[in-house]
Amino acid sequence: MSDKPSKLKIADREFSSRLLVGTGKFGSNELMRDALIASGTEIVTVALRRADISGRGDPFANILDFIDPKRFLVLPNTSGARNAAEAVRLARLAAAAGLPKWVKLEIHPDARYLLPDPVETLAAAEILVKEGFVVLPYINADPVLAKRLQDAGTATVMPLGSPIGSNRGIETRAQIEIIIEQATVPVVVDAGLGAPSQAAEAMEMGADAVLVNTAIAIASDPSRMAHAFRKAVEAGREAHEIGLAETRSIASATRTRDFSLIDIFPKSGPW
C-alpha cells in the first residue's frame, strides 16, 4: 500500500487536495483570499452573479481579483439560476468571458430552502455536456438522479449532506452511501457541512471530496477554520484508504489472552 494519499481525478485533471471551497459570505475579499490559501484547496467555486465577467472592472464585483488562477481552478457556479435555461446561459457567459469551461451546475428555484431542482438540473447537464463543459452538478442525495447524471456524462455528482448553509452535517448518509457504491465518477459531498469532523465523516464513508463554504466563511477566524477542514479531510481520506476497523456488537479485549490478578501477583510474592 502506498504511503502517499491518492489524488482526486476529475475529468482529465488531478488534484492533491480533496477539499473544494466556496467564496460566499466572507467578511471581506482579503479574508476569503487568506482562507483559500490556508485550506490548501485547488478548486474554488465562484457564483457568477458575484463576479465581474463583463470586463468593465466593477469594483463591487471584483472577487476574481483575489483568486490567483495559477494557484486555483476557478469553478463558475450557476447559483441563482431558477431553471435549466438560466443555468446554461450563465455557463456560456462564463466561458465567453474566458473562465474555465468547467461549471458547478446549481439550480434552485426555491429561495427559502435552496434545494436543487432535479428535473432542470438533468436537462441543463445534458445540454452543457454536449457543448463540451466539465459539469459538476449539485443535487439532492438521490441515487437514481446521480446515476442518470453520470450516464449523461457529468464529471462528478455532488449530493447535499443537508441544506445549503445549515451546518447540520450529513443527514442523508444512507442515500450518499448508495450513490458512492454505484458511482462511476467522483462523489463530492456538498452543502451542510458545519464542522471539520463532518467533513472527515464524509471522507471516511468513501466520498471522493467535499465542498465547504459557510462553516469557513462565518468563522471568527476563517483561515484557521479552513486549515482545520484541510486536516480533517486529509485524515478522513487517509483513514478510508487504510480501512476502518470493523464495528462489533460485543466487547473485544485488547490482550491476546486473559490474565487474572493471580497471574500478575503470584501468592508466593513478599506481599
Side-chain angles (χ1 to χ4, degrees):
M1 181 179 295
S2 172
D3 59 354
K4 294 182 179 180
S6 62
K7 291 189 175 183
L8 170 66
K9 185 173 183 179
I10 300 177
D12 59 351
R13 293 189 59 166
E14 288 189 339
F15 304 91
S16 295
S17 173
R18 292 175 178 271
L19 173 61
L20 287 65
V21 180
T23 53
K25 302 183 181 179
F26 284 91
S28 70
N29 285 335
E30 290 79 7
L31 285 172
M32 177 203 70
R33 176 197 60 209
D34 295 345
L36 295 180
I37 294 171
S39 74
T41 188
E42 296 166 271
I43 304 177
V44 175
T45 66
V46 176
L48 291 169
R49 55 193 169 84
R50 298 181 56 242
D52 176 21
I53 59 175
S54 67
R56 292 193 296 266
D58 182 352
F60 298 102
N62 64 342
I63 189 173
L64 294 175
D65 294 342
F66 291 82
I67 302 173
D68 183 356
K70 295 180 181 178
R71 181 191 289 263
F72 308 110
L73 169 67
V74 176
L75 180 62
N77 181 356
T78 66
S79 173
R82 294 167 296 178
N83 53 51
E86 290 182 5
V88 169
R89 179 175 177 273
L90 283 170
R92 289 170 177 165
L93 284 171
L99 291 175
K101 208 170 180 181
W102 287 49
V103 61
K104 182 191 174 189
L105 179 58
E106 188 170 326
I107 301 173
H108 39 71
D110 179 3
R112 179 174 174 82
Y113 294 105
L114 301 179
L115 295 174
D117 185 318
V119 176
E120 296 295 312
T121 298
L122 179 58
E126 290 173 338
I127 294 169
L128 292 171
V129 167
K130 289 178 181 178
E131 294 184 5
F133 282 86
V134 176
V135 180
L136 291 75
Y138 166 63
I139 61 172
N140 287 297
D142 180 346
V144 175
L145 176 61
K147 192 171 187 308
R148 290 285 300 273
L149 284 163
Q150 64 189 18
D151 289 347
T154 62
T156 68
V157 288
M158 303 179 69
L160 59 81
S162 53
I164 290 174
S166 67
N167 298 318
R168 292 182 346 216
I170 304 176
E171 297 182 336
T172 55
R173 182 183 179 100
Q175 298 97 309
I176 291 176
E177 287 176 335
I178 297 172
I179 292 172
I180 292 170
E181 177 190 345
Q182 297 179 341
T184 58
V185 297
V187 177
V188 183
V189 175
D190 179 14
L193 300 181
S197 59
Q198 295 164 358
E201 178 188 358
M203 301 307 295
E204 290 169 359
M205 288 167 56
D208 295 279
V210 298
L211 192 152
V212 181
N213 185 179
T214 299
I216 294 174
I218 68 172
S220 60
D221 188 334
S223 290
R224 287 188 66 192
M225 185 60 77
H227 191 247
F229 269 97
R230 174 181 185 171
K231 292 188 290 185
V233 169
E234 290 171 353
R237 180 63 189 187
E238 190 163 12
H240 173 72
E241 291 186 358
I242 294 167
L244 298 177
E246 180 183 0
T247 59
R248 298 169 60 92
S249 59
I250 59 173
S252 176
T254 56
R255 296 180 181 274
T256 55
R257 61 176 287 253
D258 293 332
F259 291 89
S260 68
L261 290 176
I262 298 301
D263 294 321
I264 301 173
F265 302 109
K267 290 182 179 179
S268 58
W271 43 82

